[in-house]
Amino acid sequence: MALFSVLQTTFLLASLSLRTYQTEVWSEPLPWAPESLKVSINSTRQCLHLQWSVHNLAYHQELKMVFQIEISRIKTSNVIWVEDYSTTVKWNQVLHWSWESKLPLECAKHFLRMRSAVDDAKTPEQRFWSNWSSWEEVDVQNSLGHEPLFVFPKDKLVEEGSNVTICYVSRSQQNNISCYLEGVRMQGEQLGPNVSMFNLNHVAFIRETGTNIYCKVDQGDVIKGVVLFVSKVLEEPKDFSCETQDLTTLNCTWDPGRDTGLLKQLSQSYTLFESFSGKKILCKHKSWCSWQVAPESQETYNFTLTAENNLRKRSVYLLFNLTHRVHPKAPFNVLFKNVSATNATMTWKVHTIGNYYTLLCQVDLYGEGKVTQHNISVRVDGEHLFGGLEPDTQYMAQVRCANANRFWKWSEWTCQNFTTAEAAPSEAPDVWRNVKSAQGDCVVTLFWKPLLKLQANGKILFYNIVIENLDRSSISKLLSIPAPANGTEVILDQCLYQIHVTANNSVGTSPASVIIVSGDPGNTEVEEERVKGTEDGFSLSWKPQPRNVTGYIVDWCDHPRDPLCDLQWKNLGPNTTSTVVSSGAFRPGVRYNFRIYGISTERVPYLLEKKTGYSQELAPSDNPQVVMSNLTSHSFTLSWKDYSTESQPSFIQGYHVYLKSKAGQCHSGWEKAVLSDDAVCCKYKIDNPKQKTFVVENLQPESFYEFLVTPYTSVGEGPHGAFTKVTTPDEYSPILIRIILPMVFCILLITIICYLKSQWMKEKCYPDIPDPYKSSVLSLIKSKENPRLTIMNIKDCVPDSIEVLNKQEGTRKSLTETESTKPTYLYLLPTETSYSGPEPCICFENFTYNQAASDSASCGHVPVPPKAPPSQLGLLTSPENLLKSLEKNYMNSLGEIPAGETSLNYVSQLASPMSGDKSSLPTNPPEPALCSEYKMQMAIPLGLASAPSSGSSSFSSITLLDEGEHYH
């Protein structure tokens, strides 16, 4: 037991001595500790660059060591990065290490220290760390300057999708700064009293010129910002390939992928490195590069293509044999010779490649929608003959070549066009006709379809038409129609004619197309059958003909509403009894008429059937123009005879007559209908489309109605447009019209007759008062010897007294009485023995009038020669005898009377100067004396009264007295 205690004590002492020795060894400094630490800053890349050295190494001694580096931020205890850096240390070597900070170095203080350890197999001792070096402080804020605000990092370049930290440093104590990313405010984290940072995750590419970030003081005008350049991820080059055309130059190409979206100075670059030769070139283009082949005829190449920018590097590799990458140049000098209507020879040349290379050339010929291909082996020149070509056809030939020994790629195509020569047309024109009768002749319109290009074999210049009279074979006619006409019109008689039509080009004439035209119009009473069209066209069928036929022809108009019609036809075989007619010109709502003809063995066409239909029926777009007539109190008639059913967009099946009335009652045959505007009216259905008149009956007199006529079809009826208004008259209006109209006509006729005979009516019923100056009596007594003879004026006769005579109306006599009536005489009544007036006056009876004047009259004075004594004045003569005497002595008696004794004054019936020489009338004529009556008046020369001479020159008033009247 004692021995165990002694041994235990001895072991503990030994252990303690060993521990003490180890502690002393570890406490000694490692002889290869890092020394001369220096820290520098790269603000552009935000990197800390550390350099140091290891002393105590022997000359040419190399030692593998590990250096542990610690980085703290803001304070030394806040360690943010620890890294072990292994390297081989040489004598007197300066070591370098860099660290990129995520946070801009300007935004916080950084501290750095390191220690080392030997990690080399040459030193079997256990690895021990050296002591830590002292902390190296990095504070960039001290060198920023005195500006109030800073934003970092400046002009930083990152890849799209990266995380970026932004910070600002403010010299102001107030924390009132806001930061924005492209105008959007960012939320940050405060690092210190004047420093804040902002973490941007997965930044996106916005524009080539960069992303704008700025900070500003909220209550100031201080703004600071930076540009963050975001690059798209650099892609690896694709489709990297190299080839040669002449064995002297290699052309390498690749697809660079999408652009990084950076400015040119920041964009990627490409380098090409060949490992066997060790040559390296910087490519000037992003997608291709040229490499000169080595003169020592190197055949194998190993290329490395590297794409690189400031953020990333990508590389691809290519190993190949030069002779296997030959891409020949395109052939040249392609020519055609010996070109005919059906053959042509093509020649070309190729670029030589070395001395022993054979090329395989591929020749393609394009024409008439077909492609033919041929392969030919050539060394220098190539040649190929094309046969079986179409006349007057344009072809395109192309050729390319490749290395026949080691095929790599075809060369580029070389193309050339050529046209074959013309030949005579190979087919007869397709001819048809349309026959019409006009004034005993046949008007034949010939139509022909232009030959297809393969049939014409050249440009058609004209068409020859030969018309042969089969009844008189010696008679024929030749017409030449220049192209591109496709028809002509000829007038023939009722004979049978054979017409030949040929097409001609510059080389020759086509076979003739023969058609027979007869004066007999054939079966014109063929009933028309309706057919229904579809999207594919019209399906037509007909009965087979019992007699021999050589074929059938179906014709129609593509544009039936056009006067030119654009006639089309279709030739069918003799065993065909149905066909489908389709055309791109068919339109919905247009009626198409089809005629089916059989062609006899004598080539005479005859009409078999008629078809009509629509490709698609449409509802009528307009209503007929209705004319109303025969309006009575109980009915009226509607007619629309000008409404054409042929031009409608569908088959008219009948008509609907709509009638509106205030009563709203529908009579027998009518039914109630509700219109689109919810109006209720009566409707009558006319089932016969040919009926275009309708009588609306059972109406009420003096009532208001509205009507509308619309056609209806299988797809609908016409539009419900405006109604026509009508009001029925009362029942008695027709009777009154039958009475009033004849009366009005008679009155109008009488008025016209009276107007035409107005002058005659005036003369017979109310003649004009004669103008004394235009009296026939005056015209009798005027003569050349007495030109101054005129009508008596009142101013020339001044009566010295007027005798007023009263008489009964019954005693008044008229000159128009019978011969048994005692005529009226002229009396001269002297009243004084002397007369101081200018001349004596005579009063005459007027032979024209013999009527009473109730109110006033005047008696003029006629100057009488003073030589006539009053004792000789007495009864002169009767009026009848006086007129006779005047007429008898028209020229003689007036000539015998002296000019001075023929002065006469006219006595006006109305005692006013109404006519004559108005300038000779007095301004204020004397008032005439009233007379009991007016007598007929006339002017006579005094010389006509045979009275004895007297010495007295005094006369009294002259008064005309009837029988039984006396003077006083």
Side-chain angles (χ1 to χ4, degrees):
M1 193 66 185
L3 181 59
F4 177 75
S5 301
V6 172
L7 292 174
Q8 185 177 9
T9 303
T10 303
F11 178 76
L12 291 175
L13 290 173
S15 300
L16 180 61
S17 299
L18 181 60
R19 186 179 293 275
T20 303
Y21 173 76
Q22 290 180 347
T23 303
E24 289 177 356
V25 173
W26 290 349
S27 62
E28 292 180 1
L30 188 69
W32 300 294
E35 298 177 358
S36 305
L37 270 67
K38 291 182 180 179
V39 180
S40 60
I41 298 174
N42 186 342
S43 297
T44 302
R45 299 177 62 92
Q46 292 296 319
C47 289
L48 287 177
H49 185 69
L50 177 65
Q51 69 178 22
W52 70 96
S53 61
V54 177
H55 296 174
N56 302 325
L57 283 177
Y59 184 70
H60 296 304
Q61 182 182 4
E62 292 184 0
L63 190 63
K64 189 175 182 181
M65 300 184 65
V66 177
F67 299 92
Q68 189 175 67
I69 305 170
E70 280 189 356
I71 299 176
S72 299
R73 180 176 291 162
I74 302 177
K75 55 184 179 179
T76 57
S77 60
N78 183 26
V79 178
I80 62 171
W81 188 267
V82 177
E83 181 178 338
D84 291 340
Y85 172 65
S86 298
T87 186
T88 300
V89 182
K90 297 180 181 180
W91 175 79
N92 205 21
Q93 180 184 3
V94 177
L95 302 175
H96 299 274
W97 178 82
S98 295
W99 174 75
E100 182 178 357
S101 175
K102 299 300 181 182
L103 177 70
L105 298 175
E106 295 85 353
C107 297
K109 291 180 182 181
H110 289 80
F111 301 90
L112 185 147
R113 69 176 181 176
M114 66 184 305
R115 62 181 178 177
S116 62
V118 177
D119 187 19
D120 199 325
K122 297 177 182 180
T123 58
E125 295 86 359
Q126 186 177 359
R127 186 179 70 174
F128 300 103
W129 288 110
S130 68
N131 296 328
W132 287 104
S133 65
S134 59
W135 288 102
E136 295 291 335
E137 182 180 346
V138 180
D139 188 1
V140 186
Q141 294 184 8
N142 295 330
S143 60
L144 293 180
H146 303 285
E147 294 185 13
L149 184 62
F150 299 91
V151 181
F152 300 101
K154 295 183 180 296
D155 301 331
K156 186 174 180 62
L157 176 62
V158 297
E159 274 189 341
E160 187 177 23
S162 302
N163 298 330
V164 181
T165 301
I166 307 296
C167 73
Y168 72 82
V169 178
S170 173
R171 300 299 188 186
S172 175
Q173 299 297 326
Q174 299 179 358
N175 191 10
N176 56 352
I177 299 174
S178 301
C179 294
Y180 300 87
L181 171 65
E182 291 291 333
V184 179
R185 185 169 181 175
M186 300 183 295
Q187 300 296 328
E189 177 185 350
Q190 192 167 358
L191 297 179
N194 300 323
V195 179
S196 292
M197 72 173 186
F198 306 89
N199 292 319
L200 305 180
N201 298 323
H202 307 290
V203 293
F205 174 84
I206 295 179
R207 67 179 68 89
E208 184 181 271
T209 55
T211 303
N212 297 321
I213 301 173
Y214 63 93
C215 299
K216 67 176 182 178
V217 180
D218 293 342
Q219 296 180 352
D221 55 355
V222 179
I223 299 178
K224 289 292 180 178
V226 294
V227 176
L228 179 65
F229 292 96
V230 181
S231 167
K232 295 180 182 178
V233 178
L234 178 64
E235 294 183 351
E236 182 180 279
K238 303 179 183 65
D239 302 328
F240 179 41
S241 176
C242 295
E243 62 187 20
T244 181
Q245 290 185 322
D246 52 10
L247 297 180
T248 59
T249 302
L250 276 171
N251 297 316
C252 297
T253 59
W254 60 90
D255 179 10
R258 67 171 183 173
D259 189 55
T260 55
L262 292 176
L263 297 175
K264 185 176 181 180
Q265 59 271 23
L266 300 175
S267 183
Q268 67 271 24
S269 62
Y270 294 88
T271 57
L272 192 61
F273 173 73
E274 204 282 309
S275 61
F276 295 123
S277 63
K279 290 176 57 177
K280 183 179 181 180
I281 61 173
L282 177 64
C283 297
K284 298 180 180 179
H285 305 278
K286 288 186 176 182
S287 60
W288 63 275
C289 195
S290 295
W291 184 277
Q292 294 299 321
V293 175
E296 59 270 15
S297 300
Q298 177 184 346
E299 290 188 359
T300 304
Y301 289 83
N302 185 12
F303 282 111
T304 300
L305 177 65
T306 302
E308 182 180 4
N309 62 9
N310 294 335
L311 301 173
R312 192 181 292 270
K313 181 186 292 186
R314 302 274 189 167
S315 298
V316 292
Y317 307 94
L318 179 64
L319 177 65
F320 62 92
N321 188 297
L322 180 63
T323 58
H324 298 174
R325 296 296 181 102
V326 177
H327 184 193
K329 293 181 180 179
F332 65 99
N333 200 18
V334 178
L335 299 174
F336 292 93
K337 60 183 181 180
N338 302 328
V339 179
S340 65
T342 57
N343 299 308
T345 301
M346 175 182 176
T347 62
W348 68 93
K349 293 183 178 182
V350 295
H351 298 273
T352 58
I353 304 174
N355 297 325
Y356 304 102
Y357 278 90
T358 301
L359 296 180
L360 176 65
C361 294
Q362 177 182 330
V363 179
D364 290 351
L365 181 66
Y366 292 85
E368 299 299 325
K370 297 183 297 182
V371 181
T372 58
Q373 189 177 94
H374 307 274
N375 293 326
I376 303 114
S377 295
V378 299
R379 293 182 63 88
V380 178
D381 297 333
E383 182 176 324
H384 182 71
L385 174 65
F386 296 109
L389 305 180
E390 296 292 339
D392 190 42
T393 303
Q394 185 177 16
Y395 290 91
M396 185 195 75
Q398 60 181 11
V399 58
R400 63 181 180 178
C401 299
N403 186 1
N405 301 324
R406 296 281 186 176
F407 182 83
W408 166 243
K409 284 183 180 179
W410 287 107
S411 69
E412 299 298 327
W413 286 105
T414 300
C415 303
Q416 189 67 35
N417 296 333
F418 70 97
T419 303
T420 55
E422 291 187 359
S426 60
E427 297 289 339
D430 186 2
V431 180
W432 187 233
R433 91 294 178 269
N434 187 26
V435 181
K436 295 181 181 179
S437 298
Q439 299 179 355
D441 294 330
C442 288
V443 179
V444 180
T445 305
L446 294 175
F447 301 92
W448 56 84
K449 296 178 180 179
L451 292 176
L452 300 177
K453 193 174 186 305
L454 295 177
Q455 300 170 345
N457 294 334
K459 182 179 180 181
I460 300 299
L461 302 178
F462 58 92
Y463 296 89
N464 281 336
I465 301 173
V466 178
I467 304 174
E468 181 182 357
N469 191 326
L470 298 181
D471 296 336
R472 295 186 294 271
S473 59
S474 60
I475 300 177
S476 62
K477 183 178 180 181
L478 174 64
L479 299 177
S480 183
I481 309 299
N486 60 353
T488 188
E489 184 177 281
V490 294
I491 299 177
L492 306 175
D493 55 22
Q494 299 297 326
C495 296
L496 190 65
Y497 286 89
Q498 180 175 269
I499 301 175
H500 301 255
V501 180
T502 58
N504 299 263
N505 60 12
S506 61
V507 178
T509 302
S510 71
S513 180
V514 181
I515 189 170
I516 304 297
V517 176
S518 173
D520 183 11
N523 186 11
T524 59
E525 298 181 356
V526 176
E527 292 187 3
E528 191 174 64
E529 180 184 351
R530 292 183 179 182
V531 294
K532 187 174 182 181
T534 62
E535 294 181 356
D536 299 329
F538 291 88
S539 180
L540 307 179
S541 62
W542 56 92
K543 297 179 181 179
Q545 297 302 301
R547 55 180 173 173
N548 293 331
V549 293
T550 60
Y552 298 94
I553 290 181
V554 179
D555 70 359
W556 70 94
C557 289
D558 265 353
H559 305 283
R561 296 179 181 177
D562 191 339
L564 299 179
C565 172
D566 191 13
L567 183 68
Q568 303 292 323
W569 64 95
K570 188 175 182 180
N571 288 296
L572 301 170
N575 298 324
T576 304
T577 57
S578 64
T579 186
V580 175
V581 177
S582 59
S583 172
F586 289 161
R587 297 290 180 267
V590 179
R591 180 181 293 189
Y592 296 96
N593 299 314
F594 302 91
R595 295 179 297 184
I596 303 171
Y597 291 86
I599 308 299
S600 67
T601 55
E602 293 81 12
R603 298 180 180 178
V604 177
Y606 57 94
L607 183 62
L608 297 178
E609 296 183 19
K610 291 182 180 180
K611 312 281 186 178
T612 183
Y614 297 85
S615 61
Q616 180 183 350
E617 292 191 71
L618 302 177
S621 59
D622 57 350
N623 295 325
Q625 297 292 330
V626 180
V627 178
M628 185 192 67
S629 60
N630 301 331
L631 177 63
T632 66
S633 58
H634 296 285
S635 66
F636 56 82
T637 302
L638 304 178
S639 63
W640 52 94
K641 297 182 179 180
D642 295 335
Y643 188 67
S644 174
T645 58
E646 298 291 331
S647 60
Q648 300 308 311
S650 56
F651 291 113
I652 302 300
Q653 297 180 349
Y655 301 92
H656 287 158
V657 181
Y658 293 92
L659 185 67
K660 291 182 182 179
S661 64
K662 292 183 178 180
Q665 296 180 353
C666 299
H667 297 282
S668 176
W670 296 75
E671 60 181 9
K672 283 190 176 293
V674 179
L675 303 179
S676 57
D677 58 354
D678 296 333
V680 179
C681 62
C682 299
K683 181 176 74 173
Y684 188 88
K685 185 177 182 180
I686 301 175
D687 295 330
N688 184 9
K690 295 182 180 180
Q691 179 182 341
K692 296 184 178 181
T693 59
F694 181 73
V695 178
V696 182
E697 300 176 324
N698 300 321
L699 304 181
Q700 296 297 323
E702 296 186 82
S703 298
F704 178 76
Y705 295 93
E706 295 179 80
F707 65 85
L708 175 68
V709 178
T710 63
Y712 70 88
T713 65
S714 61
V715 292
E717 64 175 335
H720 290 169
F723 279 66
T724 303
K725 301 176 176 58
V726 61
T727 301
T728 55
D730 56 43
E731 295 182 281
Y732 304 104
S733 295
I735 300 176
L736 294 177
I737 290 176
R738 293 190 187 98
I739 297 174
I740 294 174
L741 282 179
M743 294 178 62
V744 171
F745 177 77
C746 293
I747 293 173
L748 182 62
L749 182 62
I750 294 172
T751 302
I752 294 173
I753 294 174
C754 292
Y755 176 77
L756 296 176
K757 297 294 183 177
S758 59
Q759 188 64 29
W760 180 83
M761 294 287 293
K762 181 179 180 181
E763 292 177 357
K764 294 300 181 182
C765 297
Y766 49 94
D768 292 337
I769 298 174
D771 187 351
Y773 286 95
K774 300 178 182 179
S775 174
S776 60
V777 177
L778 183 62
S779 65
L780 294 175
I781 62 177
K782 284 188 179 183
S783 65
K784 295 181 180 180
E785 292 81 2
N786 298 279
R788 300 180 60 184
L789 187 62
T790 182
I791 302 300
M792 293 180 296
N793 294 321
I794 296 177
K795 67 178 182 178
D796 299 325
C797 181
V798 180
D800 53 359
S801 64
I802 295 176
E803 190 81 23
V804 177
L805 301 178
N806 296 319
K807 56 172 277 187
Q808 298 297 328
E809 289 290 327
T811 61
R812 189 174 302 164
K813 302 297 182 179
S814 173
L815 292 175
T816 59
E817 292 176 355
T818 61
E819 293 181 359
S820 61
T821 305
K822 186 177 181 178
T824 303
Y825 293 98
L826 299 175
Y827 293 95
L828 302 178
L829 302 178
T831 58
E832 296 181 2
T833 59
S834 63
Y835 177 67
S836 60
E839 290 180 350
C841 293
I842 302 174
C843 184
F844 300 96
E845 183 180 12
N846 192 313
F847 294 132
T848 304
Y849 300 96
N850 186 16
Q851 58 184 4
S854 60
D855 295 330
S856 63
S858 63
C859 182
H861 296 79
V862 180
V864 180
K867 295 180 182 181
S871 60
Q872 295 178 357
L873 296 175
L875 178 62
L876 298 177
T877 180
S878 66
E880 295 84 353
N881 295 332
L882 180 61
L883 287 175
K884 294 178 180 180
S885 177
L886 288 172
E887 294 174 0
K888 183 178 180 181
N889 300 298
Y890 173 69
M891 298 300 299
N892 297 329
S893 62
L894 291 177
E896 298 174 357
I897 300 174
E901 296 178 1
T902 61
S903 175
L904 298 177
N905 287 335
Y906 175 71
V907 181
S908 175
Q909 182 181 357
L910 299 179
S912 63
M914 297 301 293
S915 62
D917 188 6
K918 291 180 175 60
S919 62
S920 64
L921 297 178
T923 305
N924 297 310
E927 293 291 334
L930 296 175
C931 297
S932 62
E933 63 179 327
Y934 285 135
K935 294 297 183 178
M936 298 182 183
Q937 301 172 3
M938 62 175 293
I940 59 173
L942 295 180
L944 295 177
S946 58
S949 303
S950 175
S952 175
S953 60
S954 175
F955 290 90
S956 63
S957 299
I958 299 174
T959 307
L960 294 177
L961 301 176
D962 288 342
E963 183 182 4
E965 293 183 347
H966 303 277
Y967 63 90
H968 300 282

